[in-house]
Amino acid sequence: MKNNNKLTGVKEIARLADVSIATVDRVLHNRPGVSAKTKSKIEAIIKQLNYSPNILASRLASGKIFHLAVLIPKSSDRTDFWDAPLKGIERAAEEISRYGVRVAYYFFDLNNEDSFVSSADSILKEKKLDGVLMAPSFVSKSIRFVQRCKEKKIPFVFIDSNVEEAESLSYIGPPLFESGFLGARLCVLGMHRSDKVLFVTISREGSSYNYSRIEAGFKFFFFENDLHHEMIKLDIEDTERNSVFSNLEKAFSKYPDIEAIFVTNSRVFSVAQFLELKNYSKIHLVGYDFSQENQKYLKKGMINFLICHKPEEQGYKGLMSLYHHLALKLKVDQTYYMPIDIVTRENQDFYR
Amino acid sequence: MKNNNKLTGVKEIARLADVSIATVDRVLHNRPGVSAKTKSKIEAIIKQLNYSPNILASRLASGKIFHLAVLIPKSSDRTDFWDAPLKGIERAAEEISRYGVRVAYYFFDLNNEDSFVSSADSILKEKKLDGVLMAPSFVSKSIRFVQRCKEKKIPFVFIDSNVEEAESLSYIGPPLFESGFLGARLCVLGMHRSDKVLFVTISREGSSYNYSRIEAGFKFFFFENDLHHEMIKLDIEDTERNSVFSNLEKAFSKYPDIEAIFVTNSRVFSVAQFLELKNYSKIHLVGYDFSQENQKYLKKGMINFLICHKPEEQGYKGLMSLYHHLALKLKVDQTYYMPIDIVTRENQDFYR
DNA sequence: CTGAAAGCGCTTACAG
DNA sequence: CTGAAAGCGCTTACAG
């Protein structure tokens, strides 16, 4: 109810082009059903007015529903780590549900690459799909999947770990190099008798880019500080408990004087279980993530430090960035690094 | 033109309360003119429906204009550093001008605290003011100013430097401690003959929290690496060229074997001028900001490293965060750290 | 204290 | 190929 002597927007364009606003709208969205002549006339006016549409009005009128797919690991009996990102995603979903955002969840098993592939395939079969939020836990399969997304012009956001060459809309997660660097420092803090530190990766994807970034940061700490510790690398691809134990057994028989262990992901608790079983209580243990199991061994003193990256916030921000991009047409950061938190037995009760 | 069997929002509330939507709106915004009885009835329904308003529709209908004030240093003949944040702010302002955001600019002179105060006063005199974007260059005066803003419930965002206790809506700028830490490393890189490094702050606010954070990071580098360099602190409060020169003169006569100089802000070029004049070409010089003058001395080789924090992006993000908060009611990060870039003679032509 | 109606700047059936 | 009209979910004068 304001007096409209100064028209703007589609109305003004329609007036200048001497057509209806419906026709302007068709041109604006490149929809068919407009003669070439009319189209070019309208386009000229749009350009001349330097017009850009009002996204808020557009959203309100269209009532378009955005269908987002979430592809993350399921929390297993072995680790509940992924409960946290899921919680954040659900919080975001709830917040924006009234703005026409629908979220479909697809889970996979971190110990089963096929489950990732089949979930990814299901997503691609969706008739309605406007964006994907995912953890690219299996790198090569993720690349294949996002390749298909790119072909379909469906934006995708990574959380927790990154695949840089995939050119996601956004990556929200830890700065891996720096977190490895910090990990090394936390290891050295607990080393006084020996110079041997075990660098353990327990994952089917042990050779992935992410772990190599952590390793690079880890090594760089020693280089930077002119320390000459012996770093023993141990890749455990079979993540089953027995496999973890026997691999550690072997490492310890070869290097009995290992004094610190760094585990590059949340499976640090299984190393703690091994140390507990063996009564190796003096080993200094550092790992990732504030999962239930890890908290338990942190409390017991078997784990000395946990490095955490606000997993719930990662999920929340991940979904929000899709909403910002799709619905609000806001610019989103291509890389959003989470802070690196250090959790110890002393502060664990106050974390988050 | 969708069939509306499932009403939501104000309409549904009005229907349930058996009032008009205008009355619902009055309750929603706590406007007067509603009987206590009607009000409580409506409030109960709002609560029961767990209603939250559609911000997009609200923005569109209200046509409310947000008046933002920007309070930053003006670029002087001595440094054009502040051109960059201003450019970013203007870009953001242009982008959101069609969404009812108006920006008023207030500048002050970094060498003149009074100019800050009087600009700040002018802002407070504005009849229409919904948010402030500012560089809290003068700490105590800034605190006084934002105190007034808080009383008036006007949100404010800091860029470039922070005043933590002020509890701004958001701070967008460098992580100061880390940048000081990096500065120390860049200094040490150029030190081979002596262990004396000069730590120079050229500012009327030399004792501010920000500079002390940089200093803490700077010192921590030496501590962390068990280096025992001698750090000589030099605070130059009078930023005039003559004052800078005579202060440096004094420092060099007392410590002739200074090998590196770290300058905590963009005035590093004036130290470069001194070194040039004195023909002290072997001094290793590290400072901040990609200003014209600094680029010149970087090119000449008088400055060895510049630490930069994407000033244009700081301005852009700063204004945007006010828009996100006010108009879109989105959550904004309380702290948004910019990356720390290192610029050298070799990469300066490719920076930004 | 309350409500009917117009309008924000778009989009969407629908009719021609 | 084109346009008139209703509507998205709110807000705002205005009338009573």
Side-chain angles (χ1 to χ4, degrees):
Chain A
M1 205 168 278
K2 15 234 88 132
N3 64 346
N4 232 46
N5 38 17
K6 203 186 113 210
L7 280 179
T8 51
V10 286
K11 256 185 210 158
E12 172 71 351
I13 296 169
R15 194 182 62 79
L16 291 170
D18 199 26
V19 296
S20 74
I21 57 172
T23 300
V24 173
D25 194 66
R26 279 183 267 263
V27 173
L28 242 22
H29 296 88
N30 242 317
R31 269 187 262 108
V34 184
S35 73
K37 184 185 283 186
T38 311
K39 185 169 180 181
S40 63
K41 181 162 65 165
I42 293 173
E43 277 169 344
I45 292 167
I46 289 171
K47 183 158 286 173
Q48 195 222 316
L49 290 184
N50 190 23
Y51 169 80
S52 71
N54 184 320
I55 306 299
L56 307 187
S58 165
R59 282 296 300 140
L60 186 61
S62 80
K64 174 167 171 39
I65 303 285
F66 290 110
H67 295 268
L68 307 184
V70 170
L71 178 61
I72 57 174
K74 62 174 158 238
S75 278
S76 66
D77 46 329
R78 258 179 289 164
T79 168
D80 63 350
F81 170 74
W82 281 95
D83 283 349
L86 178 59
K87 207 171 143 196
I89 293 166
E90 287 172 337
R91 186 160 50 86
E94 158 69 21
E95 211 173 299
I96 57 184
S97 64
R98 64 186 323 313
Y99 297 107
V101 177
R102 299 291 170 269
V103 180
Y105 296 90
Y106 296 82
F107 298 98
F108 59 91
D109 181 347
L110 267 177
N111 300 303
N112 180 354
E113 194 172 53
D114 292 342
S115 72
F116 177 90
V117 173
S118 79
S119 282
D121 284 345
S122 306
I123 290 176
L124 290 169
K125 281 194 200 100
E126 288 279 4
K127 335 102 242 112
K128 306 206 169 216
L129 181 60
D130 300 290
V132 177
L133 173 64
M134 65 184 285
S137 309
F138 296 102
V139 175
S140 65
K141 302 300 182 191
S142 294
I143 289 173
R144 190 174 307 179
F145 171 63
V146 301
Q147 193 53 45
R148 299 287 309 279
C149 292
K150 278 188 197 172
E151 286 161 15
K152 295 174 152 210
K153 310 259 184 232
I154 293 165
F156 52 93
V157 168
F158 292 151
I159 56 170
D160 187 57
S161 69
N162 199 8
V163 180
E164 292 194 11
E165 68 270 32
E167 297 172 318
S168 61
L169 171 66
S170 184
Y171 162 62
I172 295 146
L176 294 166
F177 183 92
E178 286 76 2
S179 114
F181 186 90
L182 175 68
R185 181 192 303 188
L186 296 179
C187 282
V188 168
L189 276 179
M191 299 179 74
H192 308 288
R193 292 166 278 120
S194 133
D195 65 347
K196 291 210 177 48
V197 51
L198 190 65
F199 184 95
V200 186
T201 296
I202 307 172
S203 163
R204 294 218 183 281
E205 287 275 299
S207 56
S208 84
Y209 173 79
N210 294 295
Y211 293 118
S212 74
R213 288 300 292 162
I214 293 176
E215 185 181 333
F218 193 84
K219 284 179 176 163
F220 186 65
F221 176 81
F222 295 99
F223 172 78
E224 158 119 338
N225 290 284
D226 203 24
L227 296 171
H228 299 275
H229 290 61
E230 184 174 357
M231 175 183 135
I232 299 139
K233 245 190 99 173
L234 178 58
D235 278 352
I236 307 178
E237 299 234 336
D238 179 350
T239 61
E240 293 295 327
R241 181 193 168 104
N242 287 342
S243 146
V244 172
F245 279 28
S246 70
N247 271 284
L248 288 169
E249 192 88 62
K250 249 178 274 173
F252 271 94
S253 66
K254 190 161 175 195
Y255 307 97
D257 59 340
I258 286 169
E259 194 179 5
I261 304 180
F262 180 71
V263 186
T264 56
N265 62 25
S266 61
R267 293 182 217 256
V268 56
F269 71 91
S270 66
V271 177
Q273 286 167 342
F274 173 81
L275 298 179
E276 189 175 40
L277 182 76
K278 288 288 182 176
N279 222 353
Y280 289 172
S281 61
K282 286 195 172 161
I283 304 285
H284 187 74
L285 182 57
V286 178
Y288 280 85
D289 300 334
F290 198 61
S291 65
Q292 291 290 341
E293 303 85 353
N294 288 348
Q295 286 175 56
K296 193 172 108 192
Y297 289 99
L298 191 64
K299 178 90 24 179
K300 280 191 186 179
M302 301 301 300
I303 295 176
N304 300 79
F305 292 108
L306 285 174
I307 299 173
C308 306
H309 298 110
K310 302 200 190 302
E312 184 178 332
E313 203 178 326
Q314 286 183 38
Y316 178 84
K317 280 189 186 290
L319 200 72
M320 280 312 221
S321 73
L322 281 169
Y323 169 66
H324 289 181
H325 172 74
L326 291 166
L328 302 178
K329 310 267 190 233
L330 295 171
K331 292 191 178 88
V332 303
D333 290 314
Q334 203 289 315
T335 306
Y336 190 101
Y337 285 134
M338 302 306 292
I340 306 176
D341 299 330
I342 302 171
V343 185
T344 68
R345 176 145 74 151
E346 290 70 32
N347 70 0
Q348 77 177 117
D349 294 335
F350 311 103
Y351 186 62
R352 185 151 16 102
Chain B
M1 205 170 279
K2 16 231 89 132
N3 65 346
N4 233 46
N5 38 17
K6 203 187 114 211
L7 280 178
T8 51
V10 285
K11 256 185 212 160
E12 174 69 350
I13 297 169
R15 194 182 62 79
L16 290 169
D18 200 26
V19 297
S20 73
I21 55 172
T23 301
V24 173
D25 193 68
R26 279 184 267 261
V27 173
L28 243 20
H29 296 89
N30 242 318
R31 268 187 264 108
V34 184
S35 73
K37 184 185 285 187
T38 310
K39 186 169 179 180
S40 64
K41 178 161 66 164
I42 293 173
E43 277 168 345
I45 292 167
I46 289 171
K47 182 158 288 174
Q48 194 222 317
L49 291 184
N50 190 21
Y51 170 80
S52 70
N54 183 320
I55 305 298
L56 307 187
S58 164
R59 280 296 298 142
L60 185 61
S62 80
K64 174 167 170 41
I65 302 284
F66 289 110
H67 295 268
L68 306 184
V70 170
L71 177 61
I72 57 174
K74 63 174 156 237
S75 279
S76 67
D77 45 330
R78 257 180 290 164
T79 169
D80 63 349
F81 170 75
W82 282 94
D83 281 350
L86 179 59
K87 208 170 141 194
I89 293 167
E90 287 172 337
R91 186 159 52 83
E94 158 70 23
E95 214 173 297
I96 56 184
S97 63
R98 64 186 323 313
Y99 297 107
V101 177
R102 300 290 171 266
V103 180
Y105 296 89
Y106 296 81
F107 298 98
F108 60 89
D109 180 347
L110 268 176
N111 299 304
N112 180 353
E113 194 171 54
D114 291 343
S115 73
F116 177 90
V117 173
S118 79
S119 282
D121 284 347
S122 306
I123 290 175
L124 290 169
K125 282 193 200 103
E126 288 280 3
K127 333 101 244 121
K128 306 204 166 217
L129 180 62
D130 300 290
V132 177
L133 174 63
M134 65 183 286
S137 308
F138 296 102
V139 175
S140 65
K141 301 301 182 191
S142 294
I143 290 173
R144 190 173 307 178
F145 171 63
V146 301
Q147 194 51 46
R148 299 288 308 278
C149 293
K150 278 187 196 172
E151 285 162 14
K152 295 174 152 208
K153 309 259 185 230
I154 293 165
F156 52 92
V157 169
F158 292 151
I159 56 170
D160 187 59
S161 70
N162 199 9
V163 180
E164 292 194 11
E165 70 269 33
E167 295 173 319
S168 60
L169 170 66
S170 184
Y171 162 61
I172 294 147
L176 294 165
F177 183 92
E178 286 77 1
S179 114
F181 186 90
L182 176 68
R185 181 193 303 188
L186 296 178
C187 283
V188 168
L189 275 178
M191 299 180 73
H192 308 289
R193 291 168 278 121
S194 132
D195 66 347
K196 290 209 177 52
V197 51
L198 190 65
F199 184 95
V200 186
T201 296
I202 308 172
S203 163
R204 295 219 182 280
E205 287 276 298
S207 57
S208 84
Y209 174 77
N210 294 295
Y211 293 117
S212 75
R213 288 300 293 162
I214 293 176
E215 185 181 333
F218 193 84
K219 284 181 175 160
F220 186 66
F221 177 81
F222 295 100
F223 173 76
E224 159 119 336
N225 291 284
D226 203 22
L227 295 171
H228 299 275
H229 290 62
E230 185 175 353
M231 177 184 135
I232 299 137
K233 246 190 98 171
L234 178 59
D235 278 352
I236 307 178
E237 299 235 337
D238 179 349
T239 61
E240 292 295 326
R241 180 192 168 104
N242 286 344
S243 146
V244 173
F245 278 29
S246 70
N247 271 286
L248 288 170
E249 191 89 62
K250 248 178 273 173
F252 270 95
S253 65
K254 190 159 176 197
Y255 305 98
D257 59 339
I258 285 169
E259 194 179 5
I261 304 179
F262 180 70
V263 185
T264 56
N265 63 24
S266 61
R267 293 184 217 252
V268 56
F269 70 92
S270 67
V271 177
Q273 286 168 342
F274 173 81
L275 297 179
E276 189 175 40
L277 183 77
K278 288 287 182 177
N279 222 351
Y280 289 170
S281 62
K282 286 195 171 161
I283 303 286
H284 188 73
L285 182 57
V286 179
Y288 280 85
D289 300 334
F290 198 59
S291 66
Q292 290 290 341
E293 303 85 353
N294 288 348
Q295 286 176 57
K296 194 172 109 190
Y297 288 99
L298 191 64
K299 179 93 12 184
K300 280 190 186 182
M302 301 301 301
I303 294 177
N304 299 79
F305 291 109
L306 285 174
I307 299 174
C308 305
H309 298 111
K310 303 200 189 303
E312 184 178 333
E313 203 178 326
Q314 285 184 38
Y316 178 85
K317 279 187 187 290
L319 201 72
M320 279 312 221
S321 73
L322 280 169
Y323 170 66
H324 289 180
H325 173 74
L326 291 167
L328 302 178
K329 311 269 191 230
L330 294 171
K331 293 191 176 88
V332 302
D333 290 314
Q334 203 288 316
T335 306
Y336 190 100
Y337 284 135
M338 302 307 291
I340 306 176
D341 299 329
I342 302 171
V343 186
T344 68
R345 177 145 73 151
E346 291 69 33
N347 71 0
Q348 77 177 121
D349 294 334
F350 312 103
Y351 186 63
R352 185 147 20 96

